[in-house]
Amino acid sequence: METKKKKVKKLISLIVPVYNEEANILPMYEACKNAMNDVPSYNWELIFINDGSKDNSFAVLNQTALKDKRVKALDLSRNFGKEVALTAGIQNCSDDTEAAIFMDADLQHPPSLIPQFIKKWEQGADIVASIRKSTKKKAFIKHIGSKIFYAVMNKNADTPLTQNATDFKLIDKKVIAVLRKFTEHNRMFRGLIDWLGYKTEYIEFIAPERMHGEATYSLIKLTRLAVNSMTSFSLFPLRITGYFGIFVFSISFILLCIMCVFKFILKSAMFSSISFVIVLNTFVLGIILMALGLIALYIGQIRDEVVNRPLYVIREKIN
Ligand code: UDP
Ligand code: MG
């Protein structure tokens, strides 16, 4: 019995979101199979989450799953976006899995690196993250966009984000258990995992071009993701209105005082009555903006309660 138990191989779940990737699924499966052959001491399952693909992805997934029982497929009812697809993957991987690895279906996250991830994990890392060294071709606007995004995020969010970190990650079963508890809706996986703050090791890699098809993360989708991330990790966008309000309020207040001194004490006609109206207007605008900032603070508190993110995460318990 004892020896039999020892022989049971540990299970690793590979989680792959799929959106219009029909041509990439088979190569992805083959690549994963080859990579896992290099770490024969592990069992594996390959979970594809079909995120409402409009092409034949799901049919291809079905065929692949028929051929190999280790391949599993989830079919989401419509396109929910990669972040949600990853969540579905985490929530549906086998309960006895020891670690999960997230990968893109377009082979831009080379499965051949899996053994390296596993090695770092065996050496004690709870999370093995990856850093993309350089993508050969990244549209200029996306490049600039991501630069600005990281700059703003890291200035203002509670937890810093690692620049050029990707979703290509291995997480230990402890982390899976914690992630399953999160209930927030607007999530950014990368950020959440960074927020957890487990023992993290990094692997650098160069992302190849996507194998088939087009990148589906359009600029609009990326922008939406960026905005969601900012609002889910910091109150900065809200607070800035308030600060601006204070600025406008102070300036127009000072201006108003100066104008009153000129008009009523020095009896000067330097300022026309219309200028009084304008400055008074700006003054009131400042008050309104300040009030908005104040409301923002309350909203922030409500948000914290509603998101219901765990207050803390325990890394380990002894005895
Ligand atoms: N993806 C998804 N849902 C979407 C968009 C993309 O599941 O709405 C998947 C896609 O199939 C791929 C991964 O997310 O496996 C990354 O997408 P993509 O290659 O388009 O993004 P990029 O490489 O530009 O980050
Ligand atoms: Mg890609």
Side-chain angles (χ1 to χ4, degrees):
M1 194 61 202
E2 189 68 51
T3 44
K4 215 178 181 183
K5 218 175 180 180
K6 260 186 188 161
K7 273 199 179 135
V8 175
K9 293 186 188 176
K10 287 181 174 178
L11 178 70
I12 299 221
S13 305
L14 311 175
I15 296 177
V16 182
V18 170
Y19 181 59
N20 298 344
E21 307 273 12
E22 56 181 1
N24 292 326
I25 290 166
L26 268 181
M28 184 65 189
Y29 160 68
E30 294 294 340
C32 289
K33 197 163 76 174
N34 288 337
M36 291 314 286
N37 278 341
D38 293 341
V39 276
S41 51
Y42 292 98
N43 273 332
W44 52 277
E45 60 177 358
L46 177 55
I47 306 174
F48 286 105
I49 299 96
N50 180 31
D51 185 17
S53 296
K54 296 190 178 69
D55 63 359
N56 277 325
S57 294
F58 195 64
V60 182
L61 285 179
N62 254 323
Q63 285 162 14
T64 321
L66 276 181
K67 274 194 299 187
D68 191 334
K69 280 272 158 299
R70 292 169 296 189
V71 175
K72 296 170 185 170
L74 280 179
D75 193 20
L76 301 187
S77 57
R78 64 167 169 87
N79 180 250
F80 285 93
K82 181 181 176 185
E83 311 289 315
V84 177
L86 289 178
T87 310
I90 278 294
Q91 249 135 24
N92 288 283
C93 61
S94 298
D95 285 331
D96 56 340
T97 190
E98 295 290 324
I101 303 180
F102 305 114
M103 283 180 289
D104 280 2
D106 53 6
L107 289 115
Q108 285 191 302
H109 296 163
S112 55
L113 293 177
I114 292 175
Q116 288 184 39
F117 277 83
I118 293 181
K119 197 160 162 228
K120 290 234 152 123
W121 168 62
E122 283 170 339
Q123 286 165 356
D126 295 319
I127 297 170
V128 186
S130 66
I131 295 180
R132 186 177 42 209
K133 267 175 85 179
S134 72
T135 335
K136 277 179 208 141
K137 206 176 64 186
K138 195 173 191 183
F140 177 71
I141 187 126
K142 277 193 184 176
H143 181 76
I144 294 290
S146 96
K147 272 255 144 54
I148 295 177
F149 171 70
Y150 279 107
V152 174
M153 276 299 273
N154 284 344
K155 266 236 147 63
N156 304 291
D158 321 331
T159 39
L161 283 178
T162 323
Q163 192 162 3
N164 286 335
T166 68
D167 286 324
F168 191 14
K169 279 199 168 111
L170 176 148
I171 59 174
D172 185 76
K173 64 169 180 230
K174 293 183 242 181
V175 185
I176 299 179
V178 174
L179 280 182
R180 280 181 174 176
K181 285 195 203 135
F182 281 69
T183 51
E184 60 197 83
H185 276 119
N186 272 327
R187 37 173 65 205
M188 181 174 92
F189 240 76
R190 253 167 271 181
L192 271 189
I193 293 178
D194 282 349
W195 181 88
L196 289 175
Y198 276 90
K199 188 170 183 302
T200 310
E201 288 285 338
Y202 292 92
I203 284 182
E204 290 195 337
F205 76 107
I206 295 175
E209 301 274 319
R210 111 192 303 282
M211 188 147 184
H212 293 283
E214 298 259 302
T216 38
Y217 259 94
S218 60
L219 204 58
I220 294 179
K221 263 189 176 173
L222 273 179
T223 312
R224 198 186 305 151
L225 181 66
V227 170
N228 275 346
S229 314
M230 286 195 201
T231 47
S232 76
F233 276 92
S234 82
L235 283 177
F236 174 73
L238 293 180
R239 272 194 228 128
I240 192 96
T241 11
Y243 292 144
F244 189 62
I246 294 175
F247 175 75
V248 172
F249 174 83
S250 321
I251 295 287
S252 45
F253 180 73
I254 294 169
L255 206 60
L256 212 58
C257 289
I258 295 175
M259 285 163 77
C260 285
V261 168
F262 269 89
K263 176 115 181 152
F264 299 116
I265 299 178
L266 304 177
K267 305 271 184 221
S268 137
M270 197 158 112
F271 298 105
S272 64
S273 36
I274 193 81
S275 65
F276 269 89
V277 174
I278 291 172
V279 173
L280 204 64
N281 224 323
T282 320
F283 179 73
V284 174
L285 197 78
I287 295 180
I288 294 173
L289 283 180
M290 275 198 310
L292 274 182
L294 205 61
I295 292 175
L297 292 184
Y298 289 103
I299 292 180
Q301 305 241 353
I302 296 171
R303 188 210 59 172
D304 279 349
E305 292 303 322
V306 173
V307 163
N308 208 7
R309 198 181 283 182
L311 263 185
Y312 54 85
V313 177
I314 296 174
R315 194 198 312 272
E316 220 163 315
K317 275 188 198 166
I318 293 173
N319 292 336

